[in-house]
Amino acid sequence: MKIVLAVLLFSLTCIFGTTASFATSLGFQTSNAQYYSISPSGQTATLSFGKLAVTNAEHNGSSFSPIVGAEVIISDVHLDLDSRNTVGSLAGKDLIHYALVPEFPIMGGFRIILNQELVLSGDLLLNDLYFFGKTGTLDDTVQLNVLSPVIHTVDPVLLAFFTDFGAGGDLNITMQDVANDDPAEQLLEMNDIQGIVGGTFSGFGIAIPEPLSITLFSIALLSVLKKRISHTIGS
């Protein structure tokens, strides 16, 4: 009987018990009069992200203003122009894919600087770039991540914010050509491209069981213990 009770209550715990993850994220974009640039040369094109600044930040569902205005530095990467591939089309516009090189992580390729002090750095892994019409997206569903992040600050407030990035971070970047050209067509003609950049950098903390999960699991343990004690006394 006690086994059945334990199994029943444990099942209820699994069904109703969800976990809460503490999520942290920051948004960034190009500063005024600053742009990303793509400069083709030979079989490659250099993608420079320009000057980026944090515009908003959130920690555990609340705004976190101390990091707003920090500088985000993303190392230059290179497009393999020979990898150009049309993967689809919509409304007469093609979705063009390019591979980014190098495919192995760029050491220290992602950095955040606040008040001229390095607060976080990590290795950058970028593999794919897609253009659709006037826009470009670095694909975060393949591998667009900040690996092995290191927190350099000792400020307790900033430490609390950056802790969620300890296991890595998801980096999502979108670009738009300010000249209203099709970047993929410009690359075919070996023309330089400029545009604006926006993105997010997010991390997730350790999953914490909800109170209902803890309560139901505790009831299961107490019930089994009570049955065991009653059986011992009766014997």
Side-chain angles (χ1 to χ4, degrees), residues 65-95:
S65 60
I67 199 66
V68 172
E71 184 179 4
V72 176
I73 299 176
I74 302 175
S75 293
D76 292 354
V77 296
H78 303 281
L79 287 70
D80 178 3
L81 296 180
D82 290 337
S83 70
R84 180 187 175 101
N85 180 34
T86 302
V87 295
S89 62
L90 179 66
K93 296 184 181 296
D94 290 333
L95 177 62

PDB file of all heavy atoms in Angstrom, residues 65-95:
ATOM      1  N   SER A  65      19.069  48.434 -14.667  1.00  0.00           N
ATOM      2  CA  SER A  65      19.622  49.616 -15.324  1.00  0.00           C
ATOM      3  C   SER A  65      21.135  49.768 -15.235  1.00  0.00           C
ATOM      4  O   SER A  65      21.724  50.435 -16.108  1.00  0.00           O
ATOM      5  CB  SER A  65      18.956  50.883 -14.763  1.00  0.00           C
ATOM      6  OG  SER A  65      19.184  50.988 -13.358  1.00  0.00           O
ATOM      7  N   PRO A  66      21.843  49.207 -14.231  1.00  0.00           N
ATOM      8  CA  PRO A  66      23.284  49.469 -14.132  1.00  0.00           C
ATOM      9  C   PRO A  66      24.097  49.076 -15.359  1.00  0.00           C
ATOM     10  O   PRO A  66      25.185  49.610 -15.575  1.00  0.00           O
ATOM     11  CB  PRO A  66      23.709  48.637 -12.907  1.00  0.00           C
ATOM     12  CG  PRO A  66      22.486  48.561 -12.071  1.00  0.00           C
ATOM     13  CD  PRO A  66      21.364  48.441 -13.057  1.00  0.00           C
ATOM     14  N   ILE A  67      23.598  48.150 -16.163  1.00  0.00           N
ATOM     15  CA  ILE A  67      24.370  47.686 -17.316  1.00  0.00           C
ATOM     16  C   ILE A  67      23.994  48.430 -18.597  1.00  0.00           C
ATOM     17  O   ILE A  67      24.663  48.298 -19.622  1.00  0.00           O
ATOM     18  CB  ILE A  67      24.164  46.155 -17.506  1.00  0.00           C
ATOM     19  CG1 ILE A  67      25.276  45.565 -18.381  1.00  0.00           C
ATOM     20  CG2 ILE A  67      22.790  45.866 -18.080  1.00  0.00           C
ATOM     21  CD1 ILE A  67      26.633  45.604 -17.760  1.00  0.00           C
ATOM     22  N   VAL A  68      22.917  49.225 -18.556  1.00  0.00           N
ATOM     23  CA  VAL A  68      22.497  49.964 -19.738  1.00  0.00           C
ATOM     24  C   VAL A  68      23.572  50.978 -20.128  1.00  0.00           C
ATOM     25  O   VAL A  68      24.097  51.702 -19.288  1.00  0.00           O
ATOM     26  CB  VAL A  68      21.155  50.683 -19.492  1.00  0.00           C
ATOM     27  CG1 VAL A  68      20.809  51.602 -20.654  1.00  0.00           C
ATOM     28  CG2 VAL A  68      20.044  49.657 -19.278  1.00  0.00           C
ATOM     29  N   GLY A  69      23.902  51.007 -21.397  1.00  0.00           N
ATOM     30  CA  GLY A  69      24.946  51.890 -21.895  1.00  0.00           C
ATOM     31  C   GLY A  69      26.291  51.205 -22.047  1.00  0.00           C
ATOM     32  O   GLY A  69      27.215  51.776 -22.626  1.00  0.00           O
ATOM     33  N   ALA A  70      26.416  49.982 -21.514  1.00  0.00           N
ATOM     34  CA  ALA A  70      27.674  49.251 -21.639  1.00  0.00           C
ATOM     35  C   ALA A  70      27.962  48.969 -23.111  1.00  0.00           C
ATOM     36  O   ALA A  70      27.052  48.846 -23.937  1.00  0.00           O
ATOM     37  CB  ALA A  70      27.611  47.948 -20.857  1.00  0.00           C
ATOM     38  N   GLU A  71      29.226  48.850 -23.446  1.00  0.00           N
ATOM     39  CA  GLU A  71      29.635  48.583 -24.820  1.00  0.00           C
ATOM     40  C   GLU A  71      29.709  47.079 -25.060  1.00  0.00           C
ATOM     41  O   GLU A  71      30.269  46.342 -24.251  1.00  0.00           O
ATOM     42  CB  GLU A  71      31.002  49.215 -25.093  1.00  0.00           C
ATOM     43  CG  GLU A  71      31.481  49.068 -26.529  1.00  0.00           C
ATOM     44  CD  GLU A  71      32.827  49.723 -26.776  1.00  0.00           C
ATOM     45  OE1 GLU A  71      33.427  50.239 -25.798  1.00  0.00           O
ATOM     46  OE2 GLU A  71      33.280  49.717 -27.932  1.00  0.00           O
ATOM     47  N   VAL A  72      29.123  46.632 -26.162  1.00  0.00           N
ATOM     48  CA  VAL A  72      29.175  45.233 -26.566  1.00  0.00           C
ATOM     49  C   VAL A  72      30.127  45.126 -27.762  1.00  0.00           C
ATOM     50  O   VAL A  72      29.944  45.807 -28.769  1.00  0.00           O
ATOM     51  CB  VAL A  72      27.782  44.702 -26.955  1.00  0.00           C
ATOM     52  CG1 VAL A  72      27.883  43.264 -27.476  1.00  0.00           C
ATOM     53  CG2 VAL A  72      26.840  44.768 -25.760  1.00  0.00           C
ATOM     54  N   ILE A  73      31.131  44.288 -27.621  1.00  0.00           N
ATOM     55  CA  ILE A  73      32.124  44.124 -28.684  1.00  0.00           C
ATOM     56  C   ILE A  73      32.042  42.704 -29.228  1.00  0.00           C
ATOM     57  O   ILE A  73      32.174  41.731 -28.478  1.00  0.00           O
ATOM     58  CB  ILE A  73      33.547  44.404 -28.168  1.00  0.00           C
ATOM     59  CG1 ILE A  73      33.645  45.849 -27.666  1.00  0.00           C
ATOM     60  CG2 ILE A  73      34.573  44.145 -29.261  1.00  0.00           C
ATOM     61  CD1 ILE A  73      34.985  46.180 -27.045  1.00  0.00           C
ATOM     62  N   ILE A  74      31.806  42.593 -30.528  1.00  0.00           N
ATOM     63  CA  ILE A  74      31.751  41.303 -31.209  1.00  0.00           C
ATOM     64  C   ILE A  74      32.834  41.307 -32.281  1.00  0.00           C
ATOM     65  O   ILE A  74      32.877  42.196 -33.135  1.00  0.00           O
ATOM     66  CB  ILE A  74      30.378  41.061 -31.846  1.00  0.00           C
ATOM     67  CG1 ILE A  74      29.275  41.127 -30.777  1.00  0.00           C
ATOM     68  CG2 ILE A  74      30.327  39.711 -32.556  1.00  0.00           C
ATOM     69  CD1 ILE A  74      27.871  41.016 -31.331  1.00  0.00           C
ATOM     70  N   SER A  75      33.705  40.342 -32.236  1.00  0.00           N
ATOM     71  CA  SER A  75      34.819  40.297 -33.177  1.00  0.00           C
ATOM     72  C   SER A  75      34.344  40.186 -34.621  1.00  0.00           C
ATOM     73  O   SER A  75      33.272  39.639 -34.900  1.00  0.00           O
ATOM     74  CB  SER A  75      35.734  39.107 -32.869  1.00  0.00           C
ATOM     75  OG  SER A  75      36.391  39.288 -31.642  1.00  0.00           O
ATOM     76  N   ASP A  76      35.164  40.709 -35.527  1.00  0.00           N
ATOM     77  CA  ASP A  76      34.879  40.562 -36.952  1.00  0.00           C
ATOM     78  C   ASP A  76      34.848  39.078 -37.325  1.00  0.00           C
ATOM     79  O   ASP A  76      35.615  38.269 -36.792  1.00  0.00           O
ATOM     80  CB  ASP A  76      35.962  41.238 -37.788  1.00  0.00           C
ATOM     81  CG  ASP A  76      35.935  42.758 -37.648  1.00  0.00           C
ATOM     82  OD1 ASP A  76      35.013  43.281 -36.993  1.00  0.00           O
ATOM     83  OD2 ASP A  76      36.845  43.400 -38.201  1.00  0.00           O
ATOM     84  N   VAL A  77      33.953  38.742 -38.226  1.00  0.00           N
ATOM     85  CA  VAL A  77      33.910  37.385 -38.774  1.00  0.00           C
ATOM     86  C   VAL A  77      33.916  37.491 -40.297  1.00  0.00           C
ATOM     87  O   VAL A  77      33.813  38.590 -40.857  1.00  0.00           O
ATOM     88  CB  VAL A  77      32.668  36.604 -38.293  1.00  0.00           C
ATOM     89  CG1 VAL A  77      32.718  36.400 -36.791  1.00  0.00           C
ATOM     90  CG2 VAL A  77      31.386  37.326 -38.677  1.00  0.00           C
ATOM     91  N   HIS A  78      34.021  36.363 -40.959  1.00  0.00           N
ATOM     92  CA  HIS A  78      34.145  36.377 -42.415  1.00  0.00           C
ATOM     93  C   HIS A  78      33.113  35.463 -43.057  1.00  0.00           C
ATOM     94  O   HIS A  78      32.836  34.365 -42.558  1.00  0.00           O
ATOM     95  CB  HIS A  78      35.553  35.949 -42.819  1.00  0.00           C
ATOM     96  CG  HIS A  78      36.627  36.803 -42.220  1.00  0.00           C
ATOM     97  ND1 HIS A  78      36.960  38.042 -42.709  1.00  0.00           N
ATOM     98  CD2 HIS A  78      37.429  36.597 -41.140  1.00  0.00           C
ATOM     99  CE1 HIS A  78      37.922  38.566 -41.980  1.00  0.00           C
ATOM    100  NE2 HIS A  78      38.224  37.713 -41.013  1.00  0.00           N
ATOM    101  N   LEU A  79      32.517  35.946 -44.128  1.00  0.00           N
ATOM    102  CA  LEU A  79      31.588  35.142 -44.915  1.00  0.00           C
ATOM    103  C   LEU A  79      32.362  34.403 -45.993  1.00  0.00           C
ATOM    104  O   LEU A  79      33.211  34.989 -46.666  1.00  0.00           O
ATOM    105  CB  LEU A  79      30.543  36.026 -45.603  1.00  0.00           C
ATOM    106  CG  LEU A  79      29.423  36.671 -44.790  1.00  0.00           C
ATOM    107  CD1 LEU A  79      29.951  37.758 -43.889  1.00  0.00           C
ATOM    108  CD2 LEU A  79      28.359  37.224 -45.729  1.00  0.00           C
ATOM    109  N   ASP A  80      32.061  33.145 -46.146  1.00  0.00           N
ATOM    110  CA  ASP A  80      32.606  32.360 -47.244  1.00  0.00           C
ATOM    111  C   ASP A  80      31.694  32.583 -48.447  1.00  0.00           C
ATOM    112  O   ASP A  80      30.613  31.999 -48.540  1.00  0.00           O
ATOM    113  CB  ASP A  80      32.655  30.882 -46.854  1.00  0.00           C
ATOM    114  CG  ASP A  80      33.177  30.002 -47.987  1.00  0.00           C
ATOM    115  OD1 ASP A  80      33.548  30.543 -49.051  1.00  0.00           O
ATOM    116  OD2 ASP A  80      33.206  28.770 -47.802  1.00  0.00           O
ATOM    117  N   LEU A  81      32.115  33.450 -49.372  1.00  0.00           N
ATOM    118  CA  LEU A  81      31.266  33.796 -50.507  1.00  0.00           C
ATOM    119  C   LEU A  81      31.002  32.601 -51.404  1.00  0.00           C
ATOM    120  O   LEU A  81      29.973  32.549 -52.098  1.00  0.00           O
ATOM    121  CB  LEU A  81      31.901  34.936 -51.299  1.00  0.00           C
ATOM    122  CG  LEU A  81      32.041  36.266 -50.539  1.00  0.00           C
ATOM    123  CD1 LEU A  81      32.678  37.325 -51.426  1.00  0.00           C
ATOM    124  CD2 LEU A  81      30.686  36.745 -50.026  1.00  0.00           C
ATOM    125  N   ASP A  82      31.894  31.627 -51.414  1.00  0.00           N
ATOM    126  CA  ASP A  82      31.696  30.431 -52.227  1.00  0.00           C
ATOM    127  C   ASP A  82      30.609  29.521 -51.663  1.00  0.00           C
ATOM    128  O   ASP A  82      30.143  28.600 -52.345  1.00  0.00           O
ATOM    129  CB  ASP A  82      33.005  29.638 -52.344  1.00  0.00           C
ATOM    130  CG  ASP A  82      34.041  30.360 -53.204  1.00  0.00           C
ATOM    131  OD1 ASP A  82      33.640  31.196 -54.036  1.00  0.00           O
ATOM    132  OD2 ASP A  82      35.239  30.094 -53.033  1.00  0.00           O
ATOM    133  N   SER A  83      30.206  29.766 -50.410  1.00  0.00           N
ATOM    134  CA  SER A  83      29.189  28.912 -49.780  1.00  0.00           C
ATOM    135  C   SER A  83      27.767  29.388 -50.066  1.00  0.00           C
ATOM    136  O   SER A  83      26.808  28.798 -49.575  1.00  0.00           O
ATOM    137  CB  SER A  83      29.410  28.879 -48.263  1.00  0.00           C
ATOM    138  OG  SER A  83      29.095  30.147 -47.685  1.00  0.00           O
ATOM    139  N   ARG A  84      27.618  30.450 -50.832  1.00  0.00           N
ATOM    140  CA  ARG A  84      26.294  31.009 -51.128  1.00  0.00           C
ATOM    141  C   ARG A  84      25.345  29.915 -51.601  1.00  0.00           C
ATOM    142  O   ARG A  84      25.657  29.130 -52.487  1.00  0.00           O
ATOM    143  CB  ARG A  84      26.414  32.101 -52.188  1.00  0.00           C
ATOM    144  CG  ARG A  84      25.076  32.750 -52.577  1.00  0.00           C
ATOM    145  CD  ARG A  84      25.276  33.704 -53.751  1.00  0.00           C
ATOM    146  NE  ARG A  84      24.009  34.251 -54.213  1.00  0.00           N
ATOM    147  CZ  ARG A  84      23.557  35.462 -53.924  1.00  0.00           C
ATOM    148  NH1 ARG A  84      24.280  36.270 -53.164  1.00  0.00           N
ATOM    149  NH2 ARG A  84      22.400  35.893 -54.398  1.00  0.00           N
ATOM    150  N   ASN A  85      24.148  29.911 -51.003  1.00  0.00           N
ATOM    151  CA  ASN A  85      23.170  28.881 -51.330  1.00  0.00           C
ATOM    152  C   ASN A  85      21.766  29.445 -51.160  1.00  0.00           C
ATOM    153  O   ASN A  85      21.452  30.042 -50.130  1.00  0.00           O
ATOM    154  CB  ASN A  85      23.364  27.666 -50.410  1.00  0.00           C
ATOM    155  CG  ASN A  85      22.371  26.555 -50.717  1.00  0.00           C
ATOM    156  OD1 ASN A  85      21.997  26.351 -51.871  1.00  0.00           O
ATOM    157  ND2 ASN A  85      21.926  25.861 -49.689  1.00  0.00           N
ATOM    158  N   THR A  86      20.928  29.290 -52.177  1.00  0.00           N
ATOM    159  CA  THR A  86      19.534  29.723 -52.084  1.00  0.00           C
ATOM    160  C   THR A  86      18.723  28.591 -51.464  1.00  0.00           C
ATOM    161  O   THR A  86      18.604  27.511 -52.047  1.00  0.00           O
ATOM    162  CB  THR A  86      18.966  30.073 -53.476  1.00  0.00           C
ATOM    163  OG1 THR A  86      19.770  31.098 -54.065  1.00  0.00           O
ATOM    164  CG2 THR A  86      17.527  30.552 -53.356  1.00  0.00           C
ATOM    165  N   VAL A  87      18.178  28.856 -50.287  1.00  0.00           N
ATOM    166  CA  VAL A  87      17.481  27.790 -49.561  1.00  0.00           C
ATOM    167  C   VAL A  87      15.968  27.909 -49.642  1.00  0.00           C
ATOM    168  O   VAL A  87      15.238  27.038 -49.169  1.00  0.00           O
ATOM    169  CB  VAL A  87      17.924  27.769 -48.082  1.00  0.00           C
ATOM    170  CG1 VAL A  87      19.390  27.411 -47.980  1.00  0.00           C
ATOM    171  CG2 VAL A  87      17.655  29.105 -47.393  1.00  0.00           C
ATOM    172  N   GLY A  88      15.467  28.995 -50.255  1.00  0.00           N
ATOM    173  CA  GLY A  88      14.028  29.153 -50.387  1.00  0.00           C
ATOM    174  C   GLY A  88      13.697  30.537 -50.907  1.00  0.00           C
ATOM    175  O   GLY A  88      14.581  31.379 -51.098  1.00  0.00           O
ATOM    176  N   SER A  89      12.415  30.776 -51.149  1.00  0.00           N
ATOM    177  CA  SER A  89      11.977  32.085 -51.624  1.00  0.00           C
ATOM    178  C   SER A  89      10.566  32.342 -51.144  1.00  0.00           C
ATOM    179  O   SER A  89       9.801  31.409 -50.879  1.00  0.00           O
ATOM    180  CB  SER A  89      12.054  32.167 -53.151  1.00  0.00           C
ATOM    181  OG  SER A  89      11.198  31.215 -53.742  1.00  0.00           O
ATOM    182  N   LEU A  90      10.229  33.634 -51.033  1.00  0.00           N
ATOM    183  CA  LEU A  90       8.898  34.034 -50.597  1.00  0.00           C
ATOM    184  C   LEU A  90       8.599  35.396 -51.197  1.00  0.00           C
ATOM    185  O   LEU A  90       9.407  36.324 -51.079  1.00  0.00           O
ATOM    186  CB  LEU A  90       8.810  34.100 -49.069  1.00  0.00           C
ATOM    187  CG  LEU A  90       7.474  34.541 -48.483  1.00  0.00           C
ATOM    188  CD1 LEU A  90       6.394  33.498 -48.793  1.00  0.00           C
ATOM    189  CD2 LEU A  90       7.590  34.739 -46.962  1.00  0.00           C
ATOM    190  N   ALA A  91       7.447  35.502 -51.849  1.00  0.00           N
ATOM    191  CA  ALA A  91       7.011  36.764 -52.458  1.00  0.00           C
ATOM    192  C   ALA A  91       8.077  37.333 -53.394  1.00  0.00           C
ATOM    193  O   ALA A  91       8.318  38.544 -53.434  1.00  0.00           O
ATOM    194  CB  ALA A  91       6.655  37.780 -51.380  1.00  0.00           C
ATOM    195  N   GLY A  92       8.731  36.457 -54.130  1.00  0.00           N
ATOM    196  CA  GLY A  92       9.713  36.898 -55.098  1.00  0.00           C
ATOM    197  C   GLY A  92      11.076  37.218 -54.533  1.00  0.00           C
ATOM    198  O   GLY A  92      11.977  37.639 -55.266  1.00  0.00           O
ATOM    199  N   LYS A  93      11.258  37.023 -53.224  1.00  0.00           N
ATOM    200  CA  LYS A  93      12.541  37.296 -52.590  1.00  0.00           C
ATOM    201  C   LYS A  93      13.176  35.976 -52.155  1.00  0.00           C
ATOM    202  O   LYS A  93      12.502  35.105 -51.607  1.00  0.00           O
ATOM    203  CB  LYS A  93      12.380  38.230 -51.389  1.00  0.00           C
ATOM    204  CG  LYS A  93      11.872  39.618 -51.758  1.00  0.00           C
ATOM    205  CD  LYS A  93      11.833  40.531 -50.560  1.00  0.00           C
ATOM    206  CE  LYS A  93      11.307  41.902 -50.940  1.00  0.00           C
ATOM    207  NZ  LYS A  93      12.201  42.584 -51.899  1.00  0.00           N
ATOM    208  N   ASP A  94      14.477  35.861 -52.394  1.00  0.00           N
ATOM    209  CA  ASP A  94      15.186  34.630 -52.068  1.00  0.00           C
ATOM    210  C   ASP A  94      15.766  34.692 -50.658  1.00  0.00           C
ATOM    211  O   ASP A  94      16.179  35.752 -50.179  1.00  0.00           O
ATOM    212  CB  ASP A  94      16.328  34.390 -53.057  1.00  0.00           C
ATOM    213  CG  ASP A  94      15.822  34.036 -54.442  1.00  0.00           C
ATOM    214  OD1 ASP A  94      14.707  33.480 -54.537  1.00  0.00           O
ATOM    215  OD2 ASP A  94      16.546  34.321 -55.415  1.00  0.00           O
ATOM    216  N   LEU A  95      15.787  33.532 -50.008  1.00  0.00           N
ATOM    217  CA  LEU A  95      16.477  33.382 -48.731  1.00  0.00           C
ATOM    218  C   LEU A  95      17.848  32.795 -49.039  1.00  0.00           C
ATOM    219  O   LEU A  95      17.956  31.664 -49.514  1.00  0.00           O
ATOM    220  CB  LEU A  95      15.697  32.450 -47.798  1.00  0.00           C
ATOM    221  CG  LEU A  95      16.347  32.147 -46.445  1.00  0.00           C
ATOM    222  CD1 LEU A  95      16.508  33.426 -45.628  1.00  0.00           C
ATOM    223  CD2 LEU A  95      15.534  31.123 -45.670  1.00  0.00           C
TER     224      LEU A  95
END
